[in-house]
């Protein structure tokens, strides 16, 4: 018979998951609790924006404990992690409490959303800790329930999240592996700290924009274009479509009630510089999520040139260089 300590050891697992940048974005849900999106989305996993999470279920833990190394974690965020653990416990038919320790590879000051990498890593670690061996699709579905965009951090490389109409049909899958195309995502930090309005709260008001219905209609064409661009490695088509999508999303955000103005002076400085650099013949495009920081998309062969030009921007405080990355994986080394 195995000793108790051995049994405990079996109930601990660690996972590493990347954040992802949406080329076609998710904004608006048709089911709030299950986080079923109103449109499909397409993304690329980010190699330098990783979350590592260790989860241990044990009889010794009297209640769930959640800790983030080097960062403050709010009561609201802790409650969301506990809710997610409840979904996983239900699946694993367990009543054990958990200790969760997590850390991000990217600086807190980057202000980038860590919910995608965070909930992907939590899902993979917690299910493995409970001994559940779930296929990738099921992991993606479970991660989606924690945070919509987290479902895209489970599969490798370039990913599509199928919208679906039921929980079982709304999941992400890999379109292409990370080495399919040498794309570079330069994340430019113009404003440290978290965003003022969370994406969950922001997208709940999407319907109040007079442009939202039009967005849902013309996004179908952009999805086709981005998938075609990825398939053919057509960088101009990828860049133009990605940028058009980001501006379209922010036009919706700015015309919601209440309006969401995520851009600041630094955001505008980068947008205008990118347009200028392109006029000068440098193929580089931008995309922006629910915050002021800007992702520049370029091909690997132009990375050095773009990095050089960034130095002239007065509002850029930091730059994180990302390549396409694999999705969430289990890791050997635990955080505690
Ligand atoms: O998954 P959430 O709730 O963090 O929402 C993500 C929303 C955007 O980043 C703006 C778009 C996207 O698809 O990642």
């Amino acid at each position: 018979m195995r000793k108790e300590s051995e049994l405990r050891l079996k109930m601990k697992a660690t996972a590493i998951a990347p954040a992802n940048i949406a080329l076609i974005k998710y904004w608006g849900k048709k089911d709030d609790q299950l986080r079923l999106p109103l449109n499909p989305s397409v993304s690329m996993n980010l190699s330098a924006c990783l979350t590592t999470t260790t989860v241990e279920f044990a009889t010794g833990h009297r209640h769930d404990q959640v800790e983030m190394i080097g960062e403050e974690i709010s009561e609201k965020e802790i409650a969301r992690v506990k809710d997610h653990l409840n979904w996983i416990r239900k699946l694993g038919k367990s009543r054990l409490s958990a200790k969760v320790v997590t850390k991000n590879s990217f600086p807190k000051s980057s202000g980038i959303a860590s919910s995608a990498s965070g909930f992907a890593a939590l899902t993979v670690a917690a299910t493995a800790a409970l001994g559940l061996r779930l296929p990738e699709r099921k992991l993606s579905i479970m991660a989606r329930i924690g945070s919509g965009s987290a479902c895209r951090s489970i599969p490798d490389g370039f990913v599509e999240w199928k919208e679906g109409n039921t929980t079982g049909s709304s999941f992400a899958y890999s379109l292409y592996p990370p080495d399919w195309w040498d794309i570079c995502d330069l994340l430019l930090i113009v404003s440290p700290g978290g965003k003022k309005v969370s994406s969950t709260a922001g997208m709940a008001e999407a319907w109040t924009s007079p442009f939202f219905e039009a967005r849902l209609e013309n996004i179908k064409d952009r999805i086709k274009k981005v998938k075609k661009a990825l398939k053919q490695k057509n960088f101009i088509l990828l860049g133009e479509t990605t940028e058009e999508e980001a501006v379209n999303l922010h036009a919706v955000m700015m015309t919601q009630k209440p309006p969401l103005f995520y851009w600041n002076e630094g955001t505008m400085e980068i947008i205008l510089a990118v347009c200028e650099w392109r006029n000068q013949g440098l193929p580089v495009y931008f995309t922006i999520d629910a915050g002021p920081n800007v992702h520049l998309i370029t091909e690997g062969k132009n990375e050095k040139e773009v990095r050089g030009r960034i130095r002239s921007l007065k509002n850029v405080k930091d730059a994180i260089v990302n390549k396409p990355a694999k999705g969430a994986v289990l890791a050997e080394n635990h955080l505690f």
Side-chain angles (χ1 to χ4, degrees):
M1 218 171 87
R2 280 184 297 186
K3 284 189 270 157
E4 160 91 344
S5 60
E6 279 174 322
L7 279 173
R8 270 197 192 184
L9 217 62
K10 284 265 174 225
M11 309 208 70
K12 186 171 184 173
T14 297
I16 303 176
N20 64 73
I21 179 63
L23 306 171
I24 300 294
K25 306 201 188 268
Y26 145 62
W27 195 252
K29 287 180 276 234
K30 56 189 164 209
D31 185 311
D32 285 341
Q33 202 198 10
L34 291 173
R35 296 183 203 274
L36 295 180
L38 282 161
N39 63 272
S41 50
V42 177
S43 62
M44 180 184 112
N45 287 334
L46 302 175
S47 62
C49 298
L50 305 173
T51 299
T52 304
T53 301
T54 299
V55 180
E56 180 188 68
F57 289 96
T59 42
H61 301 317
R62 293 185 41 211
H63 49 79
D64 291 332
Q65 302 160 53
V66 185
E67 191 191 310
M68 198 176 247
I69 297 173
E71 285 183 43
E72 290 281 308
I73 177 162
S74 69
E75 285 303 317
K76 211 170 151 193
E77 286 167 321
I78 292 175
R80 203 163 152 189
V81 170
K82 288 182 182 175
D83 278 352
H84 199 54
L85 289 170
N86 287 339
W87 281 97
I88 292 169
R89 271 189 284 256
K90 202 168 154 198
L91 194 71
K93 298 185 177 58
S94 170
R95 296 175 63 171
L96 291 174
S97 292
K99 178 173 175 179
V100 177
V101 176
T102 188
K103 92 170 187 239
N104 291 330
S105 72
F106 43 96
K108 191 185 178 205
S109 64
S110 69
I112 69 162
S114 54
S115 68
S117 52
F119 280 96
L122 179 67
T123 302
V124 172
T127 52
L130 281 183
L132 296 167
R133 296 210 193 295
L134 302 183
E136 182 183 280
R137 180 181 297 194
K138 185 75 188 171
L139 287 169
S140 178
I141 289 168
M142 290 307 293
R144 187 205 74 224
I145 292 170
S147 174
S149 56
C151 76
R152 296 189 310 239
S153 290
I154 299 286
D156 287 343
F158 299 90
V159 171
E160 179 178 15
W161 173 7
K162 279 162 65 90
E163 172 192 343
N165 280 315
T166 56
T167 192
S169 58
S170 185
F171 57 88
Y173 69 101
S174 180
L175 290 166
Y176 301 101
D179 62 2
W180 172 252
W181 195 0
D182 184 15
I183 294 288
C184 177
D185 172 293
L186 287 141
L187 169 52
L188 305 190
I189 312 301
V190 292
S191 179
K195 50 196 168 202
K196 285 189 199 83
V197 180
S198 71
S199 23
T200 302
M203 71 175 78
E205 305 303 329
W207 286 107
T208 62
S209 164
F211 304 140
F212 187 56
E213 244 168 90
R215 166 174 167 78
L216 292 180
E217 197 42 48
N218 58 40
I219 208 166
K220 294 174 192 151
D221 181 50
R222 284 200 292 276
I223 290 262
K224 275 194 207 136
K225 283 185 179 157
V226 157
K227 285 170 73 174
K228 184 175 165 194
L230 288 171
K231 186 176 180 182
Q232 298 176 346
K233 299 184 188 171
N234 178 342
F235 185 69
I236 303 297
L237 183 63
L238 183 81
E240 282 179 354
T241 314
T242 300
E243 206 173 275
E244 185 186 308
E245 162 65 4
V247 174
N248 179 293
L249 172 71
H250 282 267
V252 166
M253 289 165 161
M254 289 177 200
T255 49
Q256 290 185 193
K257 287 172 198 63
L260 288 173
F261 297 108
Y262 285 114
W263 298 359
N264 65 20
E265 191 195 341
T267 317
M268 269 322 290
E269 184 194 19
I270 300 169
I271 291 175
L272 296 177
V274 165
C275 295
E276 182 55 31
W277 297 341
R278 239 182 3 243
N279 284 340
Q280 294 164 0
L282 182 62
V284 54
Y285 294 84
F286 67 82
T287 183
I288 307 165
D289 278 343
N293 299 322
V294 183
H295 293 252
L296 299 192
I297 310 285
T298 194
E299 282 182 283
K301 61 183 181 203
N302 292 317
E303 178 194 327
K304 213 170 144 210
E305 176 64 28
V306 175
R307 285 172 77 166
R309 294 195 186 206
I310 289 164
R311 287 194 207 110
S312 68
L313 302 173
K314 68 176 187 338
N315 292 295
V316 175
K317 297 185 171 64
D318 199 3
I320 301 175
V321 183
N322 294 284
K323 293 285 180 173
K326 59 184 182 185
V329 286
L330 283 169
E332 301 266 303
N333 295 332
H334 303 309
L335 292 176
F336 64 93

